[in-house]
Amino acid sequence: MLLGVGLACIAIPIAVHLLMRRRRKPVRWAAMRFLFEAYRRQRTRVRLEQILLLAARCLLVACIAGAVSRPMFGRGRDGGGGPRDVYLLLDNGIASGLRDADGRTDLEHAVDHALTRLGKLESARGDRVALISLAGPASAVVLPPTSDLGLVERKLRELQPADSGTDLAGGLALASAERREEGAEGREIVEICSAFREGSVGRAAGLPPVGAWRQLTASPPTSEAAANIGIVSCELLRPLVLTGKGEGANSQLRVRLFRSGSNADAPEITTVRVFAEAASQSAPAGDSTVKWEPGQTEARATIDVDPSSLLLGQAGVIRAEIDRDANEFDNRAWAAVSVRDHLRVAIVGTRRFGPRPRINEFGPSDWLELAISPAEAPAGGQIAVETLEASRLNSSDLAGYDVVIVAEPERVRDEGWSAVGTFAGRGGTVVLFAAKTDGAQLWVQPAESALGLDWVVDREATVTAQSDRTLTAPEAGALDLFWYLRGELADLAATVSVERTLGVSGDGGIVLATGDARPVLLIRQGRGERGGVVAMFTVALDLAWTDLPARPLMVPLLQELIRGSAGRFGATGAIVAGARARGPIGAIELQGLAEGAPVLSAEAATGTTREPVRHAGAYQAIDATGGSLGVVTVLPDAPAAAAGVVPADRVAAWLGASTSGSFAWDEARPGDGGESRVRSTEAGPGLALLMGALALACVELALGRLFSHAASGRAPAAEGAA
């Protein structure tokens, strides 16, 4: 618009010229006839002088207008002379951390491409830029678009690879939402800067439609092959290691690996090293070797670890790492661990004083005490058990315990169930048994309400058919607490007979069942996967229901249930980077254990971080008093770091399907039509037009003086003197 106004001003000197040519009424005067003769002789020359002056003045106005508006003439593929909004979507997901033969990461190449695009823009023309980071979940770095190109350049250079996967769908959604909010349709360009490796593209079936853009462009996919091995998961079979008398303090660590890229079809050897870390200390805790077969892409390693010498009495982490390769961001993983002298178990039932009764007089609490603390167990063992009176149970009674076993649920009052629910919500393990009664199980409703379970439990027991009374052990579910017992579990279960059970339906891993698949032992995580483990036996501890209490399975079953579940007290399992971390309830922040690690704010009511966590590592959960609630671990998204090369036509089809506008590859390289260093004002046509206007002003001044004939009055005198 400014250019149009300037060009319209050219009409001013033309109008003045035409007005000066208005005809006047002639008045004849005899003495003027000689002047008319002279005018007729010079009329052609004077008209030429006027035309030259008019042209010079018109060009002067045009040059000034052009210099002020700075139009774009021939600016390449971006086209058009109007302002543009460019949305830069930069891939800094975990795959962008892969290094090439020159030691440069895919992210560095993507940043160079983005700077080249940035160098083609002009803030004075009205161009604006937005920057969106694609490390999952995608986030706005600079949004809405800004004309401060220097700011965008600084933010580009500050970006680092994250440990989460690439979220291109989320990035396009952010840009699309901002475009609609600003009403800028028709002037926007989306530029995706990525190497488009298999980890960024391969797992996505498609992108959501985002409407029509003026132009959707992307940097060409990389064609450089690379190899990568990453750690997918790192899990301790017993997160809580006990050092009291009894079994050793060792635990086993299961590490799962993922291989991708150019070496996937070749044999290879990977070394997995394990370290125990706590209080800024680190010590080797074991190692293992993985041998890859040609074509093998997944592998597992099981390593015996002994962290007791370093971590006694405190929480820490077990860190697994592998040989360094092209992408170092998925070469480490962490598992939370704590080392204690013993566990404390509370049995909620009937408290006895004096020696144990005869077996034919045993009640539920007696069977549990015998299984957890056998007569041959040494004093000061790894599990200390106490019996609490069920009818007087309250929240203060459960303080300091790791596991609560409700042996006589029919005797627990509402206040007691509320205490059990609070205990489970804070990460404690709760084990339920059916009531020893022939009537209705009236405890079911208050227990379901207190523990937040979605199981549907029958109120009365069902007699098991004679042919189905033998106990069976189905395949292990996602929460397998009996890994050490798994090889013998089926044989031990086959010796047990079940006479009656409570019917149960709903989510939960079935560990033991009758021959007709009726659950006998179910296990699940409580309260939205943030609380402790909840296990339910659908039988009562009574020989009229089952002979389980008198069978060899009883002791190892309860021992493994207590040891395997109690390690989750006050802590949570690992999550994958890109999600919100779930700490224990009551945590207000998660503090990274590594030097320079971030501090994440959390909601105390849920223990969940307020923002997604994009960087892997171990984090200490802190409550409002500054005390530690345990350790939360965040794993890198190793499958999203897959290093394979994706063909350009496949990527083009994938991207083009997301927009009804045009898509094209941006082949620009640093130095091709753009500066690698961004300037907010760049030399261009505006400077040339200003210089031209200055030259025309000088020419107009000279012509005006020359054509004014200022020296003509002195010419006759000079001729007379001659």
Side-chain angles (χ1 to χ4, degrees), residues 88 130-135 137-144 170-171 174-175 178 614:
L88 291 175
L131 178 60
I132 295 175
S133 161
L134 295 182
S139 60
V141 180
V142 179
L143 200 70
L174 281 174
E178 180 63 28
R614 297 180 177 85

Side-chain angles (χ1 to χ4, degrees), residues 73 115 282 692:
F73 298 111
L115 291 174
S282 177

Side-chain angles (χ1 to χ4, degrees), residues 285-305:
D287 60 69
S288 181
T289 300
V290 175
K291 296 182 179 180
W292 298 89
E293 299 293 335
Q296 182 182 1
T297 59
E298 295 186 7
R300 296 176 184 269
T302 302
I303 307 164
D304 288 322
V305 297

Side-chain angles (χ1 to χ4, degrees), residues 86-92 130-143 165-180 189-193 200 206-210 213 216 614 654-655 658:
V86 177
Y87 291 82
L88 291 175
L89 275 57
L90 200 85
D91 182 3
N92 64 326
L131 178 60
I132 295 175
S133 161
L134 295 182
S139 60
V141 180
V142 179
L143 200 70
T166 300
D167 180 21
L168 182 53
L172 287 171
L174 281 174
S176 181
E178 180 63 28
R179 175 189 62 167
R180 288 193 298 268
I189 299 173
V190 175
E191 178 82 11
I192 304 171
C193 304
S200 301
L207 295 172
V210 293
W213 301 90
L216 176 62
R614 297 180 177 85
W654 185 59
L655 294 175
S658 69

Side-chain angles (χ1 to χ4, degrees), residues 411-483:
R411 298 181 59 229
V412 179
R413 300 179 179 180
D414 290 345
E415 181 184 2
W417 283 119
S418 177
V420 172
T422 301
F423 175 81
R426 294 187 176 277
T429 296
V430 175
V431 181
L432 304 174
F433 281 89
K436 179 185 173 182
T437 178
D438 294 331
Q441 303 279 331
L442 302 179
W443 61 272
V444 170
Q445 192 278 329
E448 290 176 340
S449 177
L451 294 171
L453 300 177
D454 54 4
W455 289 333
V456 178
V457 183
D458 292 346
R459 299 306 193 262
E460 294 186 0
T462 301
V463 177
T464 308
Q466 184 69 37
S467 59
D468 296 323
R469 291 181 178 179
T470 302
L471 199 61
T472 63
E475 292 293 329
L479 184 61
D480 186 11
L481 303 181
F482 303 93
W483 189 86

Side-chain angles (χ1 to χ4, degrees), residues 96-168:
S96 70
L98 191 142
R99 296 186 181 274
D100 59 18
D102 297 328
R104 304 192 73 224
T105 63
D106 285 348
L107 176 60
E108 290 175 314
H109 290 297
V111 169
D112 287 346
H113 186 94
L115 291 174
T116 300
R117 162 65 77 172
L118 205 59
K120 297 179 180 180
L121 305 178
E122 297 182 52
S123 58
R125 183 183 58 192
D127 292 340
R128 301 187 305 170
V129 185
L131 178 60
I132 295 175
S133 161
L134 295 182
S139 60
V141 180
V142 179
L143 200 70
T146 178
S147 58
D148 188 349
L149 306 187
L151 170 64
V152 178
E153 179 194 8
R154 291 192 299 273
K155 294 296 184 181
L156 275 170
R157 297 185 185 277
E158 291 173 359
L159 286 176
Q160 297 294 326
D163 296 311
S164 56
T166 300
D167 180 21
L168 182 53

Side-chain angles (χ1 to χ4, degrees), residues 316-672:
V317 294
I318 296 295
R319 170 171 56 87
E321 65 177 37
I322 59 176
D323 305 320
R324 188 170 182 176
D325 55 16
N327 193 337
E328 62 189 53
F329 288 89
D330 59 355
N331 290 347
R332 290 185 175 188
W334 297 261
V337 62
S338 59
V339 179
R340 297 194 17 215
D341 182 69
H342 66 278
L343 288 173
R344 294 187 65 198
V345 177
I347 298 175
V348 179
T350 300
R351 189 173 183 179
R352 291 185 185 273
F353 299 94
R356 289 173 179 163
R358 298 177 182 178
I359 290 182
N360 60 351
E361 298 176 352
F362 268 23
S365 301
D366 300 316
W367 288 114
L368 289 173
E369 287 182 2
L370 183 61
I372 298 172
S373 297
E376 65 273 12
Q382 296 179 352
I383 300 179
V385 59
E386 299 178 52
T387 299
L388 305 178
E389 186 60 39
S391 61
R392 294 195 295 268
L393 185 67
N394 57 57
S395 57
S396 61
D397 293 336
L398 301 182
Y401 288 101
D402 302 291
V403 179
V404 171
I405 304 177
V406 183
E408 301 176 33
E410 73 280 6
R411 298 181 59 229
V412 179
R413 300 179 179 180
D414 290 345
E415 181 184 2
W417 283 119
S418 177
V420 172
T422 301
F423 175 81
R426 294 187 176 277
T429 296
V430 175
V431 181
L432 304 174
F433 281 89
K436 179 185 173 182
T437 178
D438 294 331
Q441 303 279 331
L442 302 179
W443 61 272
V444 170
Q445 192 278 329
E448 290 176 340
S449 177
L451 294 171
L453 300 177
D454 54 4
W455 289 333
V456 178
V457 183
D458 292 346
R459 299 306 193 262
E460 294 186 0
T462 301
V463 177
T464 308
Q466 184 69 37
S467 59
D468 296 323
R469 291 181 178 179
T470 302
L471 199 61
T472 63
E475 292 293 329
L479 184 61
D480 186 11
L481 303 181
F482 303 93
W483 189 86
Y484 286 98
L485 188 61
R486 182 58 58 184
E488 304 172 353
L489 185 59
D491 292 337
L492 290 172
T495 66
V496 178
S497 176
V498 178
E499 303 288 332
R500 66 181 74 176
T501 64
L502 291 179
V504 179
S505 60
D507 294 334
I510 299 177
V511 179
L512 298 173
T514 59
D516 56 353
R518 295 176 63 85
V520 173
L521 172 58
L522 301 92
I523 295 179
R524 63 158 293 169
Q525 201 84 20
R527 286 196 182 275
E529 300 186 354
R530 281 187 286 271
V533 172
V534 177
M536 180 177 177
F537 286 86
T538 64
V539 295
L541 287 171
D542 183 76
L543 296 179
W545 285 62
T546 176
D547 59 1
L548 172 63
R551 293 297 180 181
L553 175 61
M554 182 66 173
V555 172
L557 184 68
L558 279 180
Q559 292 280 335
E560 288 304 310
L561 176 58
I562 292 170
R563 294 170 187 270
S565 63
R568 291 161 175 80
F569 179 82
T572 61
I575 67 161
V576 177
R580 295 187 180 188
R582 296 189 303 270
I585 293 175
I588 63 170
E589 66 180 22
L590 302 183
Q591 297 179 355
L593 296 180
E595 184 178 355
V599 176
L600 309 173
S601 176
E603 299 176 358
T606 62
T608 304
T609 56
R610 301 180 189 276
E611 298 292 335
V613 184
R614 297 180 177 85
H615 296 282
Y619 296 82
Q620 193 88 22
I622 305 298
D623 63 14
T625 66
S628 173
L629 296 177
V631 176
V632 177
T633 55
V634 180
L635 302 177
D637 191 352
V645 174
V646 181
D649 56 349
R650 177 183 165 193
V651 179
W654 185 59
L655 294 175
S658 69
T659 178
S660 56
S662 64
F663 169 76
W665 295 117
D666 187 351
E667 303 288 349
R669 294 291 185 269
D672 295 345

Side-chain angles (χ1 to χ4, degrees), residues 690-717:
L690 281 175
M691 297 300 294
L694 180 60
L696 283 171
C698 295
V699 170
E700 193 275 339
L701 183 62
L703 290 177
R705 183 169 180 81
L706 177 63
F707 297 159
S708 67
H709 309 286
S712 60
R714 296 188 297 269

